[in-house]
Structures are given as C-alpha cells and as structure tokens.
Amino acid sequence: MKLSGRLADRDGWTAADWCPMEYALQLIGTHSAMVLLREAFWGGRRFDDLAHRAGVTEQIAAKRLRQLVEAGLMEKQPYREPGQRTRYEYFLTDRGRDLFPVLISLIQFGRMLQAEPATELVHEGCGQPVVPQVRCAAGHDVSFSDVVIRKAKR
C-alpha cells in the first residue's frame, strides 16, 4: 500500500488523526465485540445466549452490546416471556451486516493458522469454498501493492 499527497509525509500526522481503521478498531477491536458480532451473524439474538456462546461475562456483554447498538451495528428489541420481566433481543442492522466481509476474512485467516481446520466456508448454492477478495468499484481484483491511500475527495 502506498500513501499519497499529504499522507506520504509520515512524520506530519498520526493514523489516529484520520485513519478509518483506527475508528473501527475503537468500536469492534476487542475480542468480546467480535465474538458477540460473530454470534449475531450465526443467529444469536437473546442477551443470555449471546453472552454464553461468546464466552464473555454478562457485564462485558452488556457493555459491548450497548456500544454496538450506539454505533448502529446492532439494534435491540424488547420481548417478554409470560410472567417474566422485559428482556431484549439483538439484531444486526444493515451497517452491522456490512461487517460480513470482515468476518469472512477473519475466519479464513484463522483457518490458515490452524494445523487442521475444523470448519470450512462454502457457498450454499454451489458448494464451492467462499474466498474473501478485494476489488475496486470497477470490479478489478486488487492486490496489496495496488492500493493507494489518499485524502478523500469532497
């Protein structure tokens, strides 16, 4: 990846000043946030189920889910079992579902690190493996060395 324009002078700025990855990692860059999101992608909805399956404490789950809701990645909806207090279910929003390629990439990367992967991702329609790819808006496959980072055009 190459930095362009004012960004090429690495001593004139810090990534925290402008980098969208920094912003994203502040929100989803914790183990607990990512495993809660994973569980939501895999169909988890209710607080107790999400916390249990993610392997985090209720306190951590409550904090992370609140952050994910505030960021618009998830929404919560009340439900009530007969004779019980009101509880909440959590659902991915469109913005949350935009993390799908990130999730797929992390799963695939984790599979590469495992000596013997226990799972694989396949397309339900044809049975072929799912592969993460980077493409430009025109549809070209893009490699790491083909990317230029520049100030956004306004």
Side-chain angles (χ1 to χ4, degrees):
M1 295 174 73
K2 302 171 208 117
L3 296 168
S4 173
R6 286 186 23 218
L7 298 178
D9 176 15
R10 294 289 313 266
D11 293 329
W13 54 269
T14 63
D17 294 336
W18 63 270
C19 182
M21 186 179 85
E22 290 272 341
Y23 178 74
L25 287 174
Q26 288 175 9
L27 177 63
I28 63 168
T30 64
H31 175 267
S32 55
M34 285 306 299
V35 293
L36 286 164
L37 286 164
R38 177 199 65 202
E39 291 304 321
F41 271 101
W42 290 353
R45 300 283 178 261
R46 295 190 172 181
F47 177 85
D48 292 338
D49 189 41
L50 288 168
H52 170 74
R53 292 189 183 278
V56 297
T57 66
E58 289 187 2
Q59 181 180 6
I60 292 294
K63 180 179 179 180
R64 294 291 178 254
L65 288 168
R66 184 173 48 255
Q67 291 171 330
L68 295 169
V69 167
E70 288 172 0
L73 299 175
M74 297 185 84
E75 62 183 12
K76 65 181 189 176
Q77 297 176 357
Y79 73 93
R80 187 173 177 173
E81 300 284 344
Q84 300 291 318
R85 65 182 173 88
T86 299
R87 312 252 350 218
Y88 293 93
E89 290 182 311
Y90 294 83
F91 298 90
L92 290 166
T93 62
D94 288 342
R95 179 182 278 180
R97 285 187 292 277
D98 286 344
L99 285 168
F100 176 68
V102 174
L103 184 78
I104 295 299
S105 293
L106 286 171
I107 290 170
Q108 291 297 70
F109 183 71
R111 288 187 76 246
M112 289 188 314
L113 298 175
Q114 293 176 319
E116 293 184 38
T119 61
E120 62 181 344
L121 300 170
V122 296
H123 179 214
E124 184 177 31
C126 71
Q128 291 299 305
V130 173
V131 294
Q133 294 181 312
V134 177
R135 292 195 170 136
C136 72
H140 305 113
D141 287 342
V142 177
S143 72
F144 156 75
S145 62
D146 294 331
V147 175
V148 174
I149 303 169
R150 65 182 186 198
K151 291 286 278 180
K153 295 179 181 179
R154 298 193 196 270

